[in-house]
């Protein structure tokens, strides 16, 4: 396995060069009445911008998200640090080639959206979560669907698959005057029988990888004072294609001694505001699934409590039900609609409107990602997750959902992404759960409601 940290990250400088038009006057020997002739040379064309220049122009959070997504799709195996490198550019080109595009090293909006969508599905497929281990306080990324079984004690924790094919161990111990070189040599010999094919030793951490018995292993260790903490990942060779992209993410997300730097996304808010779209006069409301996850109470402003009665994890839709509500104004969600320039109508977070709850609309464009999914640009503000999208003719085009970026790296301010769940998908979801979408109104502002999720 190529090591996560085997690359030397190189930051490229800006290489734009421009040369102005050059003019040269050529005057022949003096002749009576002759006029000097002027010859103009063709201007030299400026050098084209390199992929490294484009990457360097991105915000740090965007580069972190890009590297993380490339790692999740199996193209990038360097440190997820936000630094620009040849390895990152080559990973972009490989993704473009495998997607049938031109390997330019610079992703266009459609390619970037497709990459983010693919990475998100990979994360969901393994149940990726950033967790805090109670005994040590260490923060690490865990593929909870691959290793659902957890045991822990004062010396650390162990996550395993039901058959033991994949194991994740977090261990801690005391060492007198520890140093990474000394620790690396000890770990090479424990347990007996380890075969090492890669070693890197830095002043603040060390990495080993190779074989341990019949399993492949990856190990990352560090220390603080006299305490040593080591993350070890063991996996059968048959699981290599699935596990190795996760190993890269786990290595970059591992924060053995957190001190205010958060590895991964911030915890979900205790109170989160979203938007719902009323789709029937008997109280059916469709909204974003993620914004309504893990709620101990769901409230629709102006109408009272609601129950979440169904969800679609593939498309991040949730169906809420209001009981006994009156005065609802369901939206007409019949089609067809175009998915180009859209009006996204929702209710922004109260912090962004001085505590208010007014519905508003913002413009967004759509980039198709394939498979029926589409990205919205720019992403609407907080509170708009679950908002209604209408085309220029007022036809229902779908539901906007915000997707927090789960970065396997040191950032805690990765940019949000927004997606459009197409109208046909929304209609199929509602129909499969017996909802008769009876709305006739095209007034989206009257049909959207604020959804308040309260968590522990």
């Amino acid at each position: 396995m190529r090591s996560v940290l085997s690359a030397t990250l190189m930051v490229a400088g800006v290489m734009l060069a421009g040369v102005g038009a050059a003019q040269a006057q050529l005057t022949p020997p003096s002749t009576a009445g002759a006029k000097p002739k002027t010859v103009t040379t063709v201007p030299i064309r400026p050098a084209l911008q390199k992929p490294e220049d484009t990457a360097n122009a991105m915000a740090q959070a965007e580069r972190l998200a890009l590297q993380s997504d490339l790692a999740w799709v199996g193209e990038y195996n360097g440190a997820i640090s936000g630094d620009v490198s040849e390895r990152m550019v080559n990973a972009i080109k490989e993704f473009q080639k495998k997607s049938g595009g031109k390997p330019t090293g610079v992703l266009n909006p459609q390619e970037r959206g497709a990459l983010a969508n693919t990475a998100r599905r990979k994360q969901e497929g393994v149940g990726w979560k950033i967790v805090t281990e109670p005994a040590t306080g260490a923060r690490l990324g865990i593929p909870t669907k691959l290793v659902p079984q957890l045991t822990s004690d004062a010396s650390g924790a162990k996550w395993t698959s039901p058959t033991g094919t994949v194991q994740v161990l977090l261990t801690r111990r005391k060492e007198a005057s520890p140093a990474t070189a000394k620790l690396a040599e000890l770990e090479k010999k424990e347990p007996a029988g380890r075969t090492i094919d890669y070693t890197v030793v830095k002043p603040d951490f060390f990495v080993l990888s190779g074989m341990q018995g019949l399993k492949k292993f990856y190990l990352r260790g560090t220390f603080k004072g006299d305490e040593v903490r080591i993350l070890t990942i063991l996996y059968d060779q048959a699981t290599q294609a699935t596990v190795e992209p996760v190993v890269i993410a786990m290595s970059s997300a591992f924060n053995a001694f957190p001190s205010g730097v958060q590895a991964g996304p911030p915890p979900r808010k205790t109170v989160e505001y979203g938007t719902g779209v009323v789709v029937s006069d008997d109280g059916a409301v469709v909204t974003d699934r993620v914004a309504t996850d893990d709620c101990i109470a769901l409230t629709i402003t102006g109408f009272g409590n609601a129950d979440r009665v169904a969800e679609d994890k593939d498309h991040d839709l949730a169906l809420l039900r209001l009981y006994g509500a009156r005065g609802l104004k369901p939206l007409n969600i019949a089609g067809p609609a175009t998915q180009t320039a859209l009006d996204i109508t929702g209710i922004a977070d109260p912090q962004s409107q001085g505590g208010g709850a007014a519905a508003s609309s913002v413009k967004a464009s759509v980039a198709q990602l394939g498979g029926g999914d589409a990205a919205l640009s720019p992403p609407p503000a907080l509170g708009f997750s679950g908002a209604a999208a209408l085309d220029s003719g007022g036809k229902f085009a779908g539901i906007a959902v915000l997707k927090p970026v789960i970065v396997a790296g040191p950032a805690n301010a990765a940019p949000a992404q927004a997606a459009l769940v197409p109208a046909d998908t929304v209609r199929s979801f509602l129909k499969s759960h017996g909802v008769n979408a009876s709305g006739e109104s095209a007034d989206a502002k009257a049909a959207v409601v604020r959804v308040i999720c309260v968590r522990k």
Side-chain angles (χ1 to χ4, degrees):
M1 182 188 78
R2 295 176 298 172
S3 170
V4 176
L5 296 166
S6 63
T8 300
L9 299 177
M10 299 180 296
V11 179
V14 176
M15 302 292 294
L16 288 177
V19 181
Q23 223 179 38
Q25 292 186 340
L26 306 178
T27 306
S30 178
T31 308
K35 296 182 179 179
K37 295 181 180 180
T38 300
V39 179
T40 303
T41 62
V42 177
I44 299 174
R45 186 176 182 182
L48 295 177
Q49 189 176 32
K50 295 182 178 180
E52 292 88 347
D53 301 331
T54 302
N56 275 315
M58 296 178 180
Q60 173 79 352
E62 292 175 350
R63 292 196 297 269
L64 281 161
L66 175 58
Q67 289 176 340
S68 178
D69 287 348
L70 288 167
W72 274 104
V73 302
E75 300 300 343
Y76 179 73
N77 68 337
I80 301 174
S81 63
D83 293 336
V84 178
S85 67
E86 183 180 359
R87 177 170 293 202
M88 185 181 86
V89 174
N90 289 339
I92 293 172
K93 291 179 179 179
E94 284 300 313
F95 175 77
Q96 290 173 317
K97 285 194 292 186
K98 290 180 181 179
S99 302
K102 185 178 179 180
T104 63
V106 177
L107 296 172
N108 61 37
Q110 290 82 1
E111 290 171 330
R112 182 65 185 95
L115 172 62
N117 191 56
T118 304
R120 179 178 61 86
R121 293 187 185 282
K122 294 278 188 181
Q123 292 172 347
E124 291 175 348
V126 299
W128 177 253
K129 289 184 179 179
I130 304 294
V131 302
T132 298
E133 199 282 309
T136 63
R139 287 181 61 80
L140 64 164
I142 295 294
T144 58
K145 291 182 180 179
L146 296 182
V147 286
Q149 300 174 355
L150 169 63
T151 58
S152 61
D153 55 32
S155 63
K158 181 178 181 180
W159 292 261
T160 61
S161 62
T163 58
T165 55
V166 184
Q167 301 173 27
V168 178
L169 297 89
L170 174 63
T171 58
R172 65 191 301 201
R173 68 174 187 263
K174 297 289 185 179
E175 289 279 352
S177 302
T180 50
K182 174 184 174 183
L183 294 171
E185 289 304 313
L186 288 173
E187 291 298 324
K188 287 179 181 180
K189 302 170 184 176
E190 293 289 341
R194 271 184 175 167
T195 302
I196 309 299
D197 61 24
Y198 182 79
T199 304
V200 62
V201 178
K202 299 291 184 180
D204 55 345
F205 71 90
F206 66 97
V207 170
L208 304 174
S209 67
M211 296 294 296
Q212 183 172 314
L214 298 177
K215 291 184 182 293
K216 300 194 75 172
F217 84 92
Y218 175 92
L219 180 153
R220 181 178 178 125
T222 187
F223 67 91
K224 184 176 182 180
D226 64 351
E227 182 165 340
V228 177
R229 293 183 180 178
I230 296 175
L231 172 68
T232 305
I233 306 158
L234 294 158
Y235 52 100
D236 286 6
Q237 296 179 66
T239 67
Q240 181 173 332
T242 299
V243 176
E244 286 196 349
V246 185
V247 171
I248 295 169
M250 292 181 70
S251 176
S252 291
F254 181 45
N255 190 342
F257 299 95
S259 58
V261 177
Q262 185 168 305
R268 300 306 302 273
K269 295 180 179 179
T270 304
V271 179
E272 185 168 355
Y273 297 87
T275 297
V277 181
V278 179
V279 292
S280 73
D281 53 14
D282 62 352
V285 177
V286 64
T287 188
D288 177 13
R289 177 187 68 85
V290 177
T292 56
D293 265 348
D294 304 320
C295 306
I296 59 173
L298 276 168
T299 302
I300 306 294
T301 300
F303 296 98
N305 294 332
D307 290 339
R308 193 168 92 161
V309 296
E311 64 177 28
D312 179 348
K313 290 185 177 180
D314 291 334
H315 301 99
D316 284 334
L317 293 174
L319 175 61
L320 310 184
R321 178 69 69 176
L322 284 165
Y323 299 99
R326 297 183 180 182
L328 296 172
K329 298 178 180 179
L331 184 67
N332 183 353
I333 64 170
T338 59
Q339 290 184 7
T340 52
L342 300 176
D343 286 316
I344 312 298
T345 301
I347 303 175
D349 189 287
Q351 289 188 357
S352 63
Q353 52 174 317
S360 58
S361 297
V362 296
K363 300 288 186 181
S365 59
V366 177
Q368 294 294 334
L369 305 182
D373 293 313
L376 290 174
S377 180
L382 290 177
F384 271 74
S385 203
L390 275 65
D391 68 7
S392 57
K395 292 287 189 179
F396 178 69
I399 296 291
V401 293
L402 296 182
K403 299 180 180 296
V405 178
I406 304 177
V407 175
N412 59 2
Q417 296 171 340
L420 178 72
V421 183
D424 286 343
T425 301
V426 177
R427 288 190 285 264
S428 296
F429 170 63
L430 295 172
K431 184 178 179 180
S432 68
H433 293 285
V435 174
N436 178 24
S438 57
E440 298 181 356
S441 173
D443 185 359
K445 288 185 179 180
V448 296
V449 292
R450 170 172 281 168
V451 178
I452 305 174
C453 169
V454 178
R455 299 185 177 94
K456 290 183 179 179

